[in-house]
Amino acid sequence: MEKENERLTRTVLAGKPADRPWEGCINSVVYRVPRGVPVELPEFIAEHIRRTEAEREQAERRAEQYSKAASRLMRD
């Protein structure tokens, strides 16, 4: 029977190959995943990357909204 951390999934991270790769350390193993090219990753790593990328994008949107609100307050 195949263990969960042995199942691989094919994925392509957003971006171009020249962009900075996704990097993370999980259980003392450092992963460096290039962007814009197909790679095979353990499913748990691919899911972790999806979650962290979604959190990063949400934080960027929120920071932009706060910045716009602060700009409006400074003008008034």
Side-chain angles (χ1 to χ4, degrees), residues 40-60:
E40 286 192 359
L41 299 169
E43 286 184 12
F44 76 97
I45 298 291
E47 179 59 30
H48 177 71
I49 291 172
R50 278 191 287 276
R51 276 189 263 126
T52 58
E53 289 289 299
E55 289 172 3
R56 181 187 55 77
E57 289 172 8
Q58 183 181 27
E60 287 176 357

Side-chain angles (χ1 to χ4, degrees), residues 1-14:
M1 188 162 130
E2 192 174 28
K3 294 181 184 176
E4 180 180 334
N5 62 350
E6 293 175 354
R7 286 184 285 183
L8 298 178
T9 184
R10 190 171 185 91
T11 189
V12 178
L13 299 185

